[in-house]
Amino acid sequence: MPILKSNYSGPPFYLFNGHLETIIPSLFRKVTGVSYQREKIKTPDEDFLNLDWSKVGSDKLLVLSHGLEGDSGRHYIMGLVKLFNQNGIDALVWNNRTCGGELNLKPILYHHGASYDLDTVIEHVFSTYDYKSIYLSGISMGGAQTLKYLGEKGLDLDPRIKKAAVYSTPCNLPSSAATLKEKRNVFYKKRFLSKLKKKMAAKALQFPELIDLEMLEKVDDFDTFDTLFTAKIHGFKDADDFYQSVSADNWMPAISIPALIINALNDPLLGPACYPVSLAESKPEIILEMPKFGGHTGFVNRSQEFTWVEYRILDFLLK
């Protein structure tokens, strides 16, 4: 019954609730000493993805997937890159379409179910490089993409992919999306929505026939944004259809390698269905850890460079 008791003792005293654990590191944490080499690859639909590499000459590779409106420069990504490099492991961060400083060529952007782009990245690694062991990790949205990818591959997953570890992950997207309707989460809603609207406005310059800028300016909630724009551009009926169709837990029962999911119980952006207790109780490949503290992508350690969850992922993937 792989539901683990967590040893995370909690953050410094001044981060005394899940919101502060989420917001303060996001705004103020800095990770230095990471240097990337960028590689641009083509996608099967004639678009591109930007890959950022940090190599130390290893035959082992960590592939990282970032969160919503994130990229390879986010603190939670760079922390894992630096920690794994220090432990002799190469790292590859792939930037979702429109992330990483460059608009993509096609109308589509990215979303929680864009495991097809992760598949493109991994196939490129297999065809171009000679890594003997590959580990996957994803944070928030990137965790959902990672779990969906693993479930889609199931028993056909390449044996060079050994383990996966994700955290702050919306395993059930409808449940996570519902949290953004709560008054206590208005800060996150406004922050994410503002960034996505700016990106959609830039996309409208490329494809004015697809995007109504006047309507975009009026949008003030995610259901409307995802119905009018995300669902329309990516071929879904509406927001509900989109959330249900791409949710990672549709595929998670087919995961065939050890996959650690770390979701804090005080994460303000995860609803009840994001804690797959029943699946973990019945499926040995799913290891669920639910610390009492941590917030969303927080897990700060007292007076240490790396977060508790970064050390935890290193330990799980390499032990």
Side-chain angles (χ1 to χ4, degrees):
M1 191 167 66
I3 298 177
L4 303 182
K5 182 178 180 180
S6 181
N7 65 3
Y8 180 50
S9 59
F13 71 92
Y14 56 86
L15 302 180
F16 51 81
N17 62 40
H19 295 291
L20 290 174
E21 288 188 81
T22 300
I23 295 168
I24 298 302
S26 177
L27 294 177
F28 298 109
R29 186 189 181 205
K30 306 296 181 185
V31 178
T32 60
V34 174
S35 179
Y36 290 124
Q37 293 76 47
R38 176 156 289 190
E39 179 184 17
K40 181 178 287 188
I41 64 172
K42 287 186 176 180
T43 62
D45 62 344
E46 298 300 317
D47 209 336
F48 68 88
L49 295 170
N50 282 322
L51 315 185
D52 287 328
W53 291 86
S54 184
K55 299 180 182 179
V56 293
S58 177
D59 63 358
K60 298 178 181 179
L61 175 68
L62 175 69
V63 178
L64 282 160
S65 303
H66 63 75
L68 184 69
E69 279 304 282
D71 57 30
S72 61
R74 293 295 288 145
H75 69 93
Y76 55 76
I77 289 290
M78 295 180 72
L80 279 169
V81 169
K82 185 174 183 178
L83 182 60
F84 272 73
N85 282 174
Q86 288 183 354
N87 283 271
I89 311 297
D90 286 359
L92 166 60
V93 187
W94 68 283
N95 296 279
N96 276 266
R97 302 188 195 207
T98 74
C99 300
E102 191 174 5
L103 281 178
N104 61 306
L105 305 176
K106 295 294 182 178
I108 64 172
L109 286 79
Y110 69 91
H111 56 71
H112 286 70
S115 52
Y116 45 82
D117 281 340
L118 176 56
D119 184 44
T120 296
V121 171
I122 292 174
E123 287 303 312
H124 170 73
V125 171
F126 286 150
S127 65
T128 311
Y129 301 93
D130 189 28
Y131 286 103
K132 295 180 179 179
S133 299
I134 293 177
Y135 307 95
L136 305 184
S137 187
I139 299 89
S140 193
M141 178 193 74
Q145 292 171 333
T146 300
L147 294 174
K148 182 172 179 283
Y149 167 82
L150 292 173
E152 288 169 334
K153 292 296 182 180
L155 294 173
D156 293 327
L157 186 72
D158 191 290
R160 285 171 288 185
I161 300 178
K162 305 299 184 182
K163 291 182 180 180
V166 304
Y167 73 94
S168 299
T169 293
C171 299
N172 179 275
L173 188 54
S175 182
S176 178
T179 67
L180 290 171
K181 300 177 184 179
E182 299 173 8
K183 288 184 179 180
R184 65 188 180 98
N185 285 340
V186 66
F187 170 83
Y188 311 109
K189 183 189 78 169
K190 288 184 176 180
R191 188 180 186 195
F192 284 133
L193 200 55
S194 174
K195 291 182 177 182
L196 287 168
K197 287 173 68 174
K198 288 179 181 178
K199 192 162 285 185
M200 193 63 71
K203 183 62 65 175
L205 298 178
Q206 292 177 298
F207 302 96
E209 71 281 3
L210 290 180
I211 299 169
D212 185 339
L213 280 174
E214 187 174 327
M215 182 66 71
L216 180 64
E217 292 178 1
K218 298 177 182 178
V219 170
D220 64 357
D221 66 85
F222 265 95
D223 279 355
T224 303
F225 178 85
D226 284 330
T227 291
L228 295 179
F229 300 102
T230 307
K232 177 182 177 182
I233 289 173
H234 292 95
F236 299 98
K237 179 181 177 182
D238 54 24
D240 287 341
D241 180 44
F242 163 60
Y243 300 148
Q244 293 286 349
S245 297
V246 307
S247 187
D249 56 358
N250 292 324
W251 290 270
M252 285 166 55
I255 290 175
S256 61
I257 62 170
L260 173 66
I261 301 170
I262 303 172
N263 283 346
L265 292 173
N266 70 342
D267 190 321
L269 299 179
L270 299 184
C274 293
Y275 302 86
V277 172
S278 296
L279 182 61
E281 289 176 336
S282 62
K283 185 174 178 60
E285 292 83 1
I286 300 295
I287 301 98
L288 179 61
E289 189 164 345
M290 298 177 288
K292 182 178 178 180
F293 308 104
H296 191 78
T297 70
F299 301 98
V300 174
N301 267 326
R302 296 174 176 86
S303 303
Q304 295 188 41
E305 178 179 11
F306 301 108
T307 65
W308 170 84
V309 77
E310 289 161 357
Y311 285 120
R312 179 72 183 92
I313 287 174
L314 177 75
D315 177 68
F316 175 79
L317 292 181
L318 298 189
K319 71 179 180 182

